[in-house]
Amino acid sequence: MGCGPGLYARKLSDTGYDVTGIDFSRRSIAYAREHDRKTKYIYQNYLEMEYNEAFDAILLIYCDYGALIPEERKTLLSKIHRALKPNGLFIFDVFTERTHNGKSDHTYWSWNENGGFWSGKPHLSLEAEYYYQEHMAKVKKAVVVTDNTIDEYLFWDTVFSRQTLLDEVAPSGLKLHSIYDDVCGSPYSGEADTLCLVLKK
Ligand SMILES: C[S@@+](CC[C@H](N)C(=O)[O-])C[C@H]1O[C@@H](n2cnc3c(N)ncnc32)[C@H](O)[C@@H]1O
């Protein structure tokens, strides 16, 4: 889920797995289809997917879980529970509290003559980060100005401790299978910037 341009989906397909990739970025799905004929790519919002016991495993990689609001995370977990076969695995990662340590509200700006992250055109970006430590959340706000547009973006991001994440996923019915520092399977130390859970149906 959230396969983007198919970087992982393609590797998994090449390894011999039967892979479906879902993303709601039209351009990413178009790119993925062009570069990987084996994977079945679907242009869809994964919060609206309707699968029933269809998959042995579901992956959500690069801390996308924490970019969702609590209601969406609940919806997602219930959709995943339904989409997994019995004993199926859900593998995902989140950023930990460590990534917020020592951070406080701040603003910054940049002029990007040759385009950049926010736009391919020359643009001015005015950015701000606000930390809500009691909610373990942060919002990044960007106002991006080009010669004929002004766009505003808000990125919410929730970080988790092992306990807050386990408490949150418990009602979904998915059970803890294993825990790692990252999706590469580094042993769990509790001291990394990410945390990867493998949950089992
Ligand atoms: C940070 S990128 C990660 C891409 C890929 N997993 C990787 O690690 O290379 C997040 C991806 O999730 C997709 N995405 C975010 N919310 C989504 C949703 N509700 N439904 C489908 N795709 C979504 C975005 O379009 C984007 O491609």
Side-chain angles (χ1 to χ4, degrees):
M1 294 190 309
C3 62
L7 306 181
Y8 304 113
R10 182 178 178 181
K11 283 185 193 290
L12 289 164
S13 282
D14 286 346
T15 308
Y17 290 103
D18 179 10
V19 184
T20 300
I22 301 178
D23 203 291
F24 70 0
S25 159
R26 241 182 238 287
R27 285 203 289 185
S28 290
I29 289 294
Y31 179 98
R33 283 182 181 146
E34 200 183 318
H35 291 82
D36 170 14
R37 304 271 168 208
K38 285 191 215 145
T39 303
K40 180 177 176 194
Y41 286 105
I42 300 177
Y43 168 67
Q44 192 187 25
N45 181 345
Y46 52 57
L47 296 171
E48 293 169 5
M49 67 180 186
E50 296 293 346
Y51 290 102
N52 234 325
E53 302 201 348
F55 302 110
D56 298 298
I58 294 179
L59 283 75
L60 180 67
I61 293 181
Y62 204 63
C63 303
D64 294 344
Y65 183 83
L68 301 171
I69 60 173
E71 236 166 71
E72 291 173 333
R73 301 201 294 265
K74 203 168 156 192
T75 301
L76 184 67
L77 290 173
S78 105
K79 300 253 176 202
I80 287 169
H81 189 276
R82 193 140 63 82
L84 283 173
K85 293 180 186 172
N87 296 317
L89 300 176
F90 174 43
I91 303 164
F92 71 111
D93 57 354
V94 294
F95 287 119
T96 62
E97 296 160 293
R98 281 174 60 96
T99 58
H100 282 191
N101 283 353
K103 302 267 179 67
S104 56
D105 298 353
H106 61 282
T107 56
Y108 47 101
W109 66 274
S110 62
W111 167 245
N112 304 277
E113 182 68 41
N114 301 313
F117 180 79
W118 299 106
S119 170
K121 297 179 177 178
H123 63 277
L124 173 69
S125 73
L126 306 167
E127 300 182 46
E129 290 184 15
Y130 301 112
Y131 290 81
Y132 300 88
Q133 303 291 11
E134 70 281 17
H135 297 293
M136 295 169 76
K138 156 185 128 175
V139 64
K140 176 171 178 161
K141 178 174 175 166
V143 177
V144 179
V145 185
T146 70
D147 59 352
N148 59 356
T149 56
I150 301 178
D151 292 304
E152 183 185 71
Y153 300 92
L154 286 172
F155 284 6
W156 283 98
D157 193 21
T158 301
V159 296
F160 294 86
S161 67
R162 174 194 165 114
Q163 200 52 51
T164 58
L165 189 56
L166 290 176
D167 289 347
E168 176 162 310
V169 300
S172 71
L174 296 164
K175 306 279 178 237
L176 180 63
H177 175 274
S178 43
I179 181 163
Y180 301 94
D181 268 357
D182 55 43
V183 285
C184 297
S186 303
Y188 177 69
S189 69
E191 288 173 10
D193 285 351
T194 63
L195 172 67
C196 165
L197 286 194
V198 180
L199 303 177
K200 187 171 179 178
K201 180 167 174 180

